[in-house]
Amino acid sequence: MGIHQGHRDRMKQEFLQGGLAHFSEPRALELLLFFSRFQGDVNPLAHELLAAFGSLSGVLDAPPEELAKIPGVGENTVVLLKLIPAIAARYLASRTSGEVIASDSASLYNLFLPHFFGARNEMSFLACFDGKLKLLGVKKISEGSPNANEISVRKISTEALALNATVVVLAHNHPSGLATPSEEDIFTTRYIQDALRPLGIVLYDHVILADDDMVSLKDSKYLTIL
């Protein structure tokens, strides 16, 4: 057994026995790189990636084309690094994929959080419910830039009608700011509510997520259910 293989085996066993609690970011990234670089010492590459992108989250959030510019990063490594947050988001969504009832803001937070996991651009999603507030599905409505995102009323109505929804909840994120709604957010919410009403669809809430925070426009009295 070579020196590098022995080192890899010890790190794998350390993770299996104690998780990542005692792993520094370079060592955690090194462990991950074992699965795209099957031989040799990947510790220098882990440090180079962290130096280039600032942190483990910066590495995992980096665009594929920027990752590929780092010497030693091939296609397998790019795919692996981009797969990690994507799998994590799918995992979180899978844990909330059972029967969901829109009973309160906490349930909406748990419903939408996986869909915004790792997002660096503003995005919007629509949760569609039946008359008993049982979830029918969650649909992506739009994605913009880190600071802007256009929400289409036509897209919202199309997705809601396709699922025969009578109640919907809109959600979007503020990736680079606070969850506090802007004047435009409030105006857009009321505009969408008025547009959906003739279709027999109730806009039950519009929630804004930022980091670990969420603001409900209904709870904040910016949206009144008629």
Side-chain angles (χ1 to χ4, degrees), residues 52-64:
F53 300 107
S55 65
L56 181 60
S57 63
V59 173
L60 297 178
D61 289 338

Side-chain angles (χ1 to χ4, degrees), residues 26-142:
R27 292 188 74 229
L29 184 55
E30 180 185 2
L31 176 62
L32 181 60
L33 292 172
F34 289 166
F35 299 94
S36 66
R37 297 282 300 273
F38 302 120
Q39 295 180 340
D41 183 7
V42 294
N43 181 271
L45 179 56
H47 281 276
E48 189 167 356
L49 283 164
L50 289 168
F53 300 107
S55 65
L56 181 60
S57 63
V59 173
L60 297 178
D61 289 338
E65 60 272 16
E66 294 300 317
L67 289 169
K69 292 178 182 178
I70 305 299
V73 174
E75 183 181 45
N76 283 350
T77 298
V78 171
V79 171
L80 178 65
L81 293 174
K82 299 311 300 179
L83 183 62
I84 296 303
I87 286 290
R90 183 66 65 87
Y91 165 75
L92 289 173
S94 178
R95 292 187 66 179
T96 60
S97 62
E99 185 172 296
V100 175
I101 303 294
S103 57
D104 52 31
S105 296
S107 65
L108 293 177
Y109 178 79
N110 292 330
L111 172 63
F112 283 115
L113 182 62
H115 297 280
F116 294 105
F117 182 84
R120 289 297 175 264
N121 292 327
E122 281 201 15
M123 306 166 67
S124 63
F125 286 86
L126 187 75
C128 299
F129 299 87
D130 64 15
K132 296 181 179 179
L133 297 184
K134 181 179 177 181
L135 182 67
L136 300 173
V138 178
K139 299 291 184 179
K140 183 177 179 179
I141 299 299
S142 60

Side-chain angles (χ1 to χ4, degrees), residues 126 150-157 168 170 182-199 201-206 217 222-224 226:
L126 187 75
E150 183 176 347
I151 299 175
S152 167
V153 175
R154 176 176 294 183
K155 178 71 170 177
I156 290 173
S157 59
V168 296
L170 181 65
S182 65
E183 290 296 325
E184 183 178 359
D185 291 332
I186 297 169
F187 173 82
T188 299
T189 300
R190 292 169 177 167
Y191 177 78
I192 292 171
Q193 181 184 43
D194 291 340
L196 293 178
R197 189 176 295 117
L199 302 176
I201 300 171
V202 175
L203 179 61
Y204 182 78
D205 204 349
H206 180 182
L217 270 71
Y222 292 118
L223 174 64
T224 302
L226 303 178

